[in-house]
Amino acid sequence: MRSDTVKKSVLVAVGVIENTEGEIFICRRGAGQHQANKWEFPGGKVEAGETVAQALARELAEEIGIRVTDCHSFMRIEHDYGDKQVTLDIRKVTAFTGEPHGLEGQPSRWVPVTELHSYDFPAANSPIVNKLQTEAGH
């Protein structure tokens, strides 16, 4: 196979951050990013030498200003966007310090699980929304 036909593959650590009211924290992607202006669960690319948990802790500190104190595996999704293949390793963040907010100027908010379906997420995030709503009994 020629190298120019190999699709870029990216491992992404994703945090589903839940507060004590059962709301989920989401952010909106910037205009210049892949899947621009869609809402997402915060996180980012796992760098060489990092575990998913380490990458998630780093990304959430950089992106939304929290320190993860407890998280567990929630689900794993592989999705092909055509231009790139992504593997999302999703962790549910159940304990953290700090108050999350968009440190990079991105809009962000706490959303009740029942309202997540009304936000425009990238296609790869649909299974996350569906699982959260199923678990919440909606």
Side-chain angles (χ1 to χ4, degrees), residues 24-74:
I24 305 296
F25 189 77
I26 61 173
C27 300
R28 200 166 80 205
R29 297 181 65 78
Q33 292 179 289
H34 184 259
Q35 298 290 303
N37 298 316
K38 292 186 182 273
W39 290 89
E40 68 177 352
F41 302 97
K45 193 168 110 181
V46 178
E47 302 293 345
E50 278 184 321
T51 66
V52 171
Q54 288 169 333
L56 184 62
R58 176 184 51 75
E59 286 284 348
L60 297 185
E62 292 172 359
E63 204 176 310
I64 61 171
I66 65 170
R67 189 172 75 78
V68 175
T69 55
D70 193 33
C71 69
H72 62 270
S73 189
F74 185 64

Side-chain angles (χ1 to χ4, degrees), residues 108-123:
S108 59
R109 61 187 60 156
W110 288 105
V111 178
V113 170
T114 54
E115 294 177 18
L116 285 172
H117 66 275
S118 62
Y119 288 82
D120 185 21
F121 285 94

